[in-house]
Amino acid sequence: MLDIRQIPVLNDNYVYLVRETETGSTAVVDPAVAAPVLAEADRLGWKITHILNTHHHGDHVGGNIEIQSVTGCHIVGPRADRDRIPGIQTEVGDGDVYRFGAAEAQVFDVPGHTRGHIAYWFAADDALFCGDTLFALGCGRVFEGTHPQMWHSLGKLRALPDSARVFCAHEYTQANARFALSVDSANGALKERAARIDAARAKGEPTVPSRLGEEKATNPFLRADDPDLAAALGLTGASAAEVFSEVRTRKDNF
């Protein structure tokens, strides 16, 4: 149902054009800037009808007003952060279902990186747009929330099917892999994935989207309740929240 195009912008951001093929309705997810998004939509012959924001940071909403002024599109964003989303017209939050065209997204509140962060899950297309909460082999820095809050938010996303495609907002994967190996060096699946990531980046290929099943097996931020990871960190018997906090703190200082 969804035709998804990835637009690299700025240094390492990804913006997504998401076209619902039945009606032609087209959403932009987290437009950092306007010009390349408008140019790609024009090249494809797609009319932008919606903007879906995950959180308020400028590299996710910077293109909102210009895109809206050119296209007349409708801006959707987190209810918990409505005062910081430029041009917001529809507010959504945990448990809501948002529809554009014939597409349907379940909305999750996933605070931690920011107080009002949300994610959009299009179950029919195995497509998760998670902004800066979950990255390929990483998670967002905790700016406005707490470590236990972020661990809880990640748990909501981890509960989705292994087949979910993780459309995160940054190409951080190679750096994330280097860190992951520093805390989980015995993980064979991680070692193999890191090698594939290095090969892809050497050819200039994106590493996003990833599959959630692979994240569950290799992303240390999703494995804080795994006894093997806790043992590797010298935290045998610690709570998952404590292990997550240690992993996040180490990444902040890596």
Side-chain angles (χ1 to χ4, degrees):
M1 182 181 293
L2 298 181
D3 187 349
I4 302 169
R5 305 298 175 96
Q6 187 177 63
I7 307 171
V9 301
L10 303 179
N11 292 326
D12 50 36
N13 279 72
Y14 288 127
V15 178
Y16 297 99
L17 276 177
V18 183
R19 183 175 184 268
E20 189 276 293
T21 56
E22 184 176 323
T23 66
S25 298
T26 300
V28 184
V29 180
D30 283 347
V33 291
V37 177
L38 292 168
E40 181 66 3
D42 184 63
R43 185 187 73 82
L44 294 167
W46 295 359
K47 176 175 172 50
I48 295 171
T49 56
H50 296 76
I51 290 173
L52 304 181
N53 289 134
T54 62
H55 65 293
H56 76 90
H57 283 159
D59 63 332
H60 294 256
V61 302
N64 276 21
I65 299 302
E66 184 177 347
I67 292 172
Q68 186 183 54
S69 69
V70 171
T71 66
C73 67
H74 191 87
I75 298 178
V76 183
R79 180 177 299 116
D81 218 1
R82 58 185 177 274
D83 295 338
R84 299 194 288 181
I85 304 296
I88 189 170
Q89 294 162 288
T90 295
E91 306 163 7
V92 294
D94 205 54
D96 288 344
V97 173
Y98 187 75
R99 297 173 180 84
F100 79 96
E104 181 175 288
Q106 182 178 353
V107 179
F108 296 99
D109 282 343
V110 285
H113 180 65
T114 63
R115 71 184 186 215
H117 204 303
I118 60 175
Y120 301 88
W121 165 236
F122 292 87
D125 290 86
D126 271 339
L128 173 66
F129 296 93
C130 49
D132 286 358
T133 295
L134 174 64
F135 294 129
L137 279 179
C139 79
R141 189 180 289 263
V142 179
F143 287 124
E144 297 178 5
T146 65
H147 287 171
Q149 185 181 48
M150 184 63 126
W151 170 241
H152 179 71
S153 293
L154 289 170
K156 292 182 181 181
L157 303 183
R158 190 178 69 164
L160 297 174
D162 287 358
S163 56
R165 295 176 292 165
V166 180
F167 291 95
C168 62
H170 291 276
E171 182 57 71
Y172 289 163
T173 319
Q174 192 169 36
N176 286 344
R178 288 195 293 270
F179 169 74
L181 287 167
S182 78
V183 296
D184 198 16
S185 60
N187 187 327
L190 172 59
K191 292 178 183 178
E192 189 274 334
R193 185 180 181 191
R196 285 190 283 110
I197 289 164
D198 286 341
R201 295 308 291 158
K203 293 184 285 187
E205 296 173 353
T207 64
V208 177
S210 60
R211 292 282 181 177
L212 188 58
E214 189 166 46
E215 296 303 328
K216 293 175 188 180
T218 59
N219 186 332
F221 295 99
L222 295 185
R223 298 182 55 243
D225 55 355
D226 186 319
D228 290 340
L229 180 60
L233 295 169
L235 292 174
T236 298
S239 70
E242 289 170 330
V243 174
F244 174 82
S245 183
E246 176 66 17
V247 176
R248 185 62 256 178
T249 299
R250 290 193 188 194
K251 178 64 167 68
D252 292 344
N253 295 290
F254 186 69

